[in-house]
């Protein structure tokens, strides 16, 4: 993904949206390729491994499943949690997975041995979101108990307990070099943290702290923050300069669930929706590029392959499947 | 030390006072420690403490005391024997001595040597014994220092319990806790509150108990926010003229007219009439009254009119009325 960073930066700096460059495709043409069945409950999170070889899916049925990218065959199950799982994240070397669950623990899994390597205990309420640091030495977890904890992967010890929000924490994400952490909560705030000091550097969304933040994520170059709010909006915030909110993406439905969004390459923003669709927005123009219909329930989670034009999406339990979408026309970068 | 002497009448006890002082200094502190730990109600007077400690010291020092007495006796005996032998020693210089005398002299000398030997050996054993006992004293001294240092560490607890130390301060200070203890309490309070809010969150955001078994927090719908934000921006306020509230403005206006009427002396007319007059009629009455006043006192109105041509005199009057009444 890092190879695409300059493209995205260029896209952001270029304010003349009327003149598309040659490199940039105007449309996407994703179509449904696979439907993965196996989970017995709602799919809560899907994530591609950084090396692009695997897809991990977590569900409220307490099981993590791993699928191989390509023909998307089932590889293995990871058992161990005693509560439904809300979020997973791969380690940068694609060997480990961390998962946050309703059993108030974060588990680190060795995907080769399929065993839990460490269980991180400390939260007093279900874990909402987890994030592996790029150096793979830390894991951040946000919980319904309103705190964000930083865990040392080696020892499994909680090294910091940040009183991040005054409502449940719905999103955490490390930036590219692991020095910053962004958190979002139901209190409608987005906060930037210095990881080493454990201090809050910046609070976004202060003036209009109306609707809960459902999702936060750094852009691949870490210059922007993508944040979803429960008023049917996704916003792109600038981290460095104080211009504040750069773009607002409207069109999808999101008022009840903490739905994942993702950057697709340097040009698109992908999100799930409560109208059972997957939406693809143009990052610069903000309009809907494509709407993928096939799920039969709220699409809670989407993930984009790190190098190929592949989108994975998971839906709630009336549907309960993972669907793989592939772009046919757009040449893969 | 002086106190100890007045307490102790026995000479023998006082003989070993140098050892005792250290011990008496130690033992009351020890007993204080005990009272702190074990029996908080025990507040013995100092005299009792000292006496009880003395008895213990005497038992400990009985051996060296008796030895000293023995030593004195032995020295006296030895000196006596030496005295008796001395003339023999002095006569040994004489050259004219018989063998019988020599034999007797040798015998006497042997006895002398024997007695000195035994005396010396006894002295050595005594020396050893004293050394041992002094080592015991040293141990006590070590104990004492240790106990004093430990007492210094626990000064706060001793002060709070012992009746002699800073009673007033402990009464005035309502929270008798160290800084660490208070910080600990604050921390535990915060963690307790955090736990409570976390609990309430779990009730608020996942009260769907029927399905909670096979749900995770992300797959449960968030209930509509119970806390609503509402921002009120007032376009109009009580200070602005609001035409919609006619009744209010009339009532306020009539109040002010009442005040004017009251001041100008038109009040009686209003009270007498059963039907409330129209506002315009009342204003008319006021105008008439003002004209009447102007006729009686033309200079006042002339001055005020000349000073401020632009401002109407009625408003000025009304302002004056309100301030005068109060």
């Amino acid at each position: 993904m890092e190879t695409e960073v300059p493209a995205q930066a260029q896209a952001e700096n270029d304010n003349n949206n009327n003149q598309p460059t040659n490199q940039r495709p105007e449309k996407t043409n994703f179509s449904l390729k696979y439907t993965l069945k196996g989970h017995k409950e709602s799919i809560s999170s899907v994530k591609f491994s950084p090396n692009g070889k695997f897809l991990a899916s977590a569900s409220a049925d307490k099981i993590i499943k791993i699928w191989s990218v390509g023909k998307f065959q089932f590889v293995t199950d990871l058992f161990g949690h005693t509560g439904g799982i809300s979020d997973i994240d791969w380690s940068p070397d694609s060997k480990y997975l961390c998962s946050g669950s309703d059993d108030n623990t974060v588990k680190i899994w060795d995907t080769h041995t399929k065993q839990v390597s460490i269980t991180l205990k400390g939260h007093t309420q279900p874990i909402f979101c987890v994030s592996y640091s790029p150096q793979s030495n830390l894991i951040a977890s946000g919980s319904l108990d309103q705190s964000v904890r930083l865990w040392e992967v080696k020892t499994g010890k909680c090294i910091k307990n940040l009183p991040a929000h005054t409502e449940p924490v719905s999103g955490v994400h490390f930036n590219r070099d692991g020095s910053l952490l962004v958190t979002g909560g139901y209190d409608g705030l987005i906060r930037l943290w210095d990881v080493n000091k454990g201090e809050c550097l910046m609070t976004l969304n202060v003036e209009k702290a109306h609707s809960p933040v459902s999702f936060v994520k750094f852009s691949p170059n870490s210059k922007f923050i993508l944040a979803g709010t429960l008023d049917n909006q996704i916003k792109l915030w600038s981290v460095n300069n104080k211009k504040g909110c750069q773009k607002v993406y409207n069109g999808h439905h999101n008022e009840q669930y903490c739905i994942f969004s993702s950057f697709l390459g340097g040009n698109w923003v992908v999100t799930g929706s409560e109208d059972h669709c997957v939406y693809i927005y143009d990052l610069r123009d903000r309009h809907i590029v494509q709407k993928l219909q096939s799920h039969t329930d709220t699409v809670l989670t989407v993930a984009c392959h790190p190098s190929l034009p592949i989108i994975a999406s998971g839906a709630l339990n009336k549907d309960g499947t993972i669907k793989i979408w592939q772009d046919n026309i757009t040449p893969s970068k | 030390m002086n106190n100890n002497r007045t307490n102790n009448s026995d000479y023998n006890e006082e003989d070993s006072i140098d050892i005792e002082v250290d011990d008496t200094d130690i033992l009351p502190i020890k007993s204080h420690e005990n009272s702190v730990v074990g029996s908080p109600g025990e507040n013995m007077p100092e005299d009792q403490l000292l006496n009880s400690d003395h008895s213990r010291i005497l038992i400990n020092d009985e051996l060296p005391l008796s030895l000293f007495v023995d030593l004195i006796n032995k020295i006296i005996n030895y000196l006596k024997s030496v005295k008796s032998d001395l003339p023999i020693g002095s006569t040994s210089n004489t050259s004219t001595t018989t063998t019988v005398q020599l034999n007797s002299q040798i015998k006497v000398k042997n006895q002398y040597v024997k007695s000195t030997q035994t005396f010396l050996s006894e002295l050595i054993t005594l020396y050893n014994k004293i050394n041992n006992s002094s080592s015991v004293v040293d141990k006590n001294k070590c104990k004492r220092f240790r106990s004093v240092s430990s007492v210094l560490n626990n000064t706060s607890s001793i002060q709070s319990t012992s009746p002699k130390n800073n009673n007033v301060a402990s009464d005035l200070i309502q929270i008798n806790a160290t800084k660490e203890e208070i910080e600990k309490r604050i921390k535990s309070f915060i963690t307790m509150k955090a736990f409570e809010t976390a609990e309430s969150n779990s009730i608020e955001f996942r009260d769907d108990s029927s399905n909670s078994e096979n749900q995770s927090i992300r797959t449960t719908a968030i209930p509509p926010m119970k806390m609503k934000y509402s921002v009120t921006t007032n376009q109009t306020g009580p200070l602005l003229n609001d035409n919609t509230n006619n009744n209010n403005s009339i009532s306020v206006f009539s109040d002010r007219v009442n005040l004017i009427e009251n001041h100008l002396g038109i009040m009686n007319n209003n009270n007498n009439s059963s039907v409330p007059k129209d506002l315009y009629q009342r204003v008319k009455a006021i105008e008439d009254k003002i004209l009447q006043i102007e006729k009686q006192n033309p200079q006042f109105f002339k001055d005020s009119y000349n000073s401020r041509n632009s401002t109407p005199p009625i408003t000025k009057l009304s302002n004056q009325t309100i301030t005068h009444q109060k």
Side-chain angles (χ1 to χ4, degrees):
Chain A
M1 262 208 173
E2 291 187 5
T3 55
E4 291 152 11
V5 169
Q8 197 226 337
Q10 189 191 353
E12 275 305 313
N13 290 331
D14 185 11
N15 286 327
N16 284 330
N17 296 335
N18 299 329
Q19 296 174 348
T21 57
N22 293 331
Q23 300 168 349
R24 188 172 158 268
E26 279 186 70
K27 275 189 178 180
T28 58
N29 191 15
F30 280 92
S31 59
L32 182 63
K33 198 89 177 172
Y34 300 102
T35 297
L36 314 181
K37 290 185 178 176
H39 282 296
K40 287 168 186 165
E41 288 292 337
S42 308
I43 316 292
S44 56
S45 179
V46 290
K47 294 278 169 77
F48 283 102
S49 66
N51 63 7
K53 289 181 180 173
F54 298 103
L55 175 74
S57 62
S59 165
D61 63 6
K62 308 164 193 171
I63 296 168
I64 300 167
K65 288 180 188 291
I66 293 176
W67 316 78
S68 66
V69 172
K71 292 188 173 179
F72 286 91
Q73 298 292 311
F74 169 74
V75 177
T76 187
D77 275 335
L78 301 177
F79 295 99
H81 275 299
T82 55
I85 299 162
S86 286
D87 199 3
I88 47 173
D89 199 14
W90 287 88
S91 68
D93 62 0
S94 304
K95 284 181 184 169
Y96 296 92
L97 259 177
C98 68
S99 59
S101 162
D102 270 28
D103 59 12
N104 305 357
T105 65
V106 176
K107 283 184 194 290
I108 304 175
W109 305 82
D110 186 333
T111 54
H112 292 292
T113 63
K114 302 167 196 173
Q115 297 298 315
V116 179
S117 66
I118 292 180
T119 300
L120 311 176
K121 290 178 185 172
H123 281 295
T124 59
Q125 288 296 324
I127 318 293
F128 221 118
C129 44
V130 287
S131 178
Y132 235 111
S133 78
Q135 288 82 17
S136 75
N137 59 335
L138 293 176
I139 285 174
S141 62
S143 165
L144 202 67
D145 68 11
Q146 309 183 358
S147 70
V148 170
R149 281 176 190 260
L150 287 173
W151 310 85
E152 199 174 49
V153 174
K154 255 187 194 175
T155 58
K157 279 181 186 171
C158 174
I159 58 167
K160 289 210 171 70
N161 186 2
L162 309 175
H165 293 275
T166 55
E167 291 285 339
V169 182
S170 55
V172 288
H173 193 229
F174 282 100
N175 73 339
R176 201 170 140 201
D177 61 3
S179 62
L180 298 176
L181 184 76
V182 65
T183 64
Y186 282 5
D187 57 3
L189 302 179
I190 302 160
R191 290 205 154 117
L192 266 178
W193 299 82
D194 185 312
V195 171
N196 289 326
K197 294 177 187 169
E199 290 170 355
C200 181
L201 299 175
M202 207 196 288
T203 304
L204 305 174
N205 218 14
V206 179
E207 303 95 34
K208 295 178 181 176
H210 290 262
S211 48
V213 174
S214 57
F215 166 80
V216 284
K217 183 180 188 161
F218 274 106
S219 67
N221 63 1
S222 294
K223 285 184 182 173
F224 300 92
I225 293 168
L226 193 69
T229 44
L230 295 183
D231 54 356
N232 308 315
Q233 285 187 342
I234 296 173
K235 287 175 184 163
L236 191 72
W237 296 80
S238 171
V239 175
N240 292 324
N241 54 19
K242 306 210 169 176
K243 286 176 191 169
C245 182
Q246 303 272 301
K247 308 271 182 193
V248 180
Y249 304 97
N250 283 314
H252 65 289
H253 294 259
N254 186 10
E255 286 179 335
Q256 286 191 315
Y257 294 94
C258 290
I259 295 176
F260 283 97
S261 309
S262 182
F263 292 97
L264 175 60
N267 297 318
W268 323 113
V269 170
V270 184
T271 184
S273 173
E274 284 162 19
D275 61 0
H276 312 171
C277 296
V278 176
Y279 283 76
I280 303 173
Y281 289 101
D282 188 311
L283 183 78
R284 295 188 301 169
D285 293 352
R286 304 188 300 269
H287 63 255
I288 298 167
V289 176
Q290 203 181 350
K291 197 169 149 185
L292 310 178
Q293 289 173 308
S294 179
H295 280 294
T296 55
D297 203 347
T298 295
V299 180
L300 202 59
T301 171
V302 291
C304 301
H305 192 275
S307 54
L308 303 171
I310 299 173
I311 296 172
S313 60
L316 285 184
N317 56 358
K318 276 180 202 165
D319 181 297
T321 62
I322 303 158
K323 290 188 187 289
I324 307 296
W325 314 79
Q326 203 157 359
D327 195 346
N328 297 323
I329 290 177
T330 314
S332 62
K333 293 177 182 175
Chain B
M1 237 191 245
N2 289 329
N3 288 334
N4 287 336
R5 265 183 196 155
T6 52
N7 286 332
N8 302 330
S9 55
D10 196 355
Y11 177 74
N12 279 336
E13 280 181 16
E14 202 168 17
D15 203 15
S16 59
I17 218 164
D18 281 339
I19 308 160
E20 272 183 42
V21 168
D22 281 337
D23 287 348
T24 44
D25 276 354
I26 305 160
L27 291 165
I29 293 163
K30 272 188 177 173
S31 67
H32 266 271
E33 276 187 337
N34 285 336
S35 71
V36 170
V37 178
S39 52
E42 187 187 30
N43 286 324
M44 285 174 80
E46 209 170 24
D47 288 353
Q48 280 185 28
L49 282 172
L50 284 174
N51 284 337
S52 66
D53 293 330
H54 251 283
S55 64
R56 275 160 79 184
I57 294 157
L58 280 177
I59 294 161
N60 285 337
D61 293 342
E62 217 173 23
L63 196 62
L65 278 177
S66 63
L67 278 174
F68 278 123
V69 175
D70 284 351
L71 179 67
I72 291 161
N73 290 334
K74 274 167 189 168
I75 288 170
I76 290 164
N77 286 335
Y78 177 66
L79 287 175
K80 273 180 186 172
S81 67
V82 168
K83 258 188 184 176
S84 62
D85 291 339
L86 268 174
I88 299 163
S90 63
T91 53
S92 66
N93 289 330
T94 55
S95 57
T96 55
T97 45
T98 59
T99 53
V100 180
Q101 275 179 327
L102 265 173
N103 282 335
S104 67
Q105 268 190 353
I106 287 164
K107 257 190 180 178
V108 170
K109 273 191 177 175
N110 280 341
Q111 274 183 353
Y112 167 70
V113 168
K114 266 187 183 176
S115 67
T116 47
Q117 270 181 348
T118 52
F119 177 70
L120 281 174
S121 70
E122 274 172 354
L123 264 184
I124 287 164
T125 52
L126 184 64
Y127 173 77
N128 285 335
K129 277 181 180 174
I130 288 169
N131 262 5
N132 284 337
S133 64
S134 72
S135 73
V136 168
V137 171
D138 281 344
K139 271 182 192 170
N140 273 339
K141 274 181 183 169
C142 290
K143 258 189 191 171
R144 174 206 178 188
F145 290 130
R146 219 185 303 146
S147 62
V148 165
S149 64
S150 69
V151 163
L152 281 175
N153 286 336
N154 295 328
T155 37
S156 57
S157 57
I158 284 177
Q159 274 176 3
S160 59
T161 48
S162 73
K164 277 189 177 181
N165 292 333
N166 296 334
N167 247 344
V168 183
S170 65
D171 283 347
L172 285 175
I173 298 166
Q174 294 181 350
I175 301 172
N176 275 317
T178 57
K179 199 186 172 195
E180 292 84 23
E181 172 67 20
I182 285 172
E183 276 170 0
K184 210 173 113 189
R185 283 183 203 172
I186 291 170
K187 251 188 188 175
S188 65
F189 179 77
I190 289 170
T191 49
M192 195 185 74
K193 283 292 159 192
F195 189 77
E196 281 176 11
T197 50
E199 284 283 307
S200 75
N201 275 344
S202 102
I203 293 164
E204 182 179 355
F205 292 109
R206 42 178 331 215
D207 53 353
D208 193 6
S209 53
S210 57
N211 283 331
S212 69
E213 180 58 30
N214 285 321
Q215 289 287 340
S216 75
I217 184 62
R218 195 178 284 277
T219 58
T220 22
I222 297 157
M225 287 290 283
K226 283 162 192 163
M227 191 167 66
K228 299 274 183 191
Y229 292 91
S230 66
V231 180
T232 308
T233 49
N234 291 322
Q235 298 294 336
T236 57
L239 296 177
L240 296 170
N241 283 328
D242 196 359
N243 291 328
T244 54
N245 288 334
N246 269 328
N247 292 329
N248 255 341
S249 66
I250 283 172
S251 70
V252 168
F253 199 56
S254 73
D255 279 350
R256 293 174 72 178
V257 173
N258 266 339
L259 286 173
I260 297 167
E261 286 169 345
N262 197 18
H263 187 62
L264 295 177
I266 337 169
M267 196 66 182
N268 292 330
N269 297 334
N270 259 338
N271 279 343
N272 288 337
S273 64
S274 56
V275 180
K277 278 183 182 174
D278 186 23
L279 200 62
Y280 295 104
Q281 288 176 342
R282 289 166 71 183
V283 171
K284 175 75 179 140
I286 291 166
E287 284 168 348
D288 290 344
K289 187 74 182 178
I290 288 168
L291 277 175
Q292 192 189 336
I293 293 167
E294 196 170 0
K295 274 177 195 169
Q296 288 169 2
N297 193 2
Q299 194 56 39
F300 170 74
F301 286 98
K302 198 185 177 185
D303 288 348
S304 67
Y305 196 77
N306 285 339
S307 63
R308 283 164 284 103
N309 278 328
S310 58
T311 49
I314 292 175
T315 53
K316 177 68 185 168
L317 260 183
S318 71
N319 277 339
Q320 280 176 346
T321 309
I322 291 166
T323 48
H324 271 285
Q325 276 227 335
K326 300 200 172 180

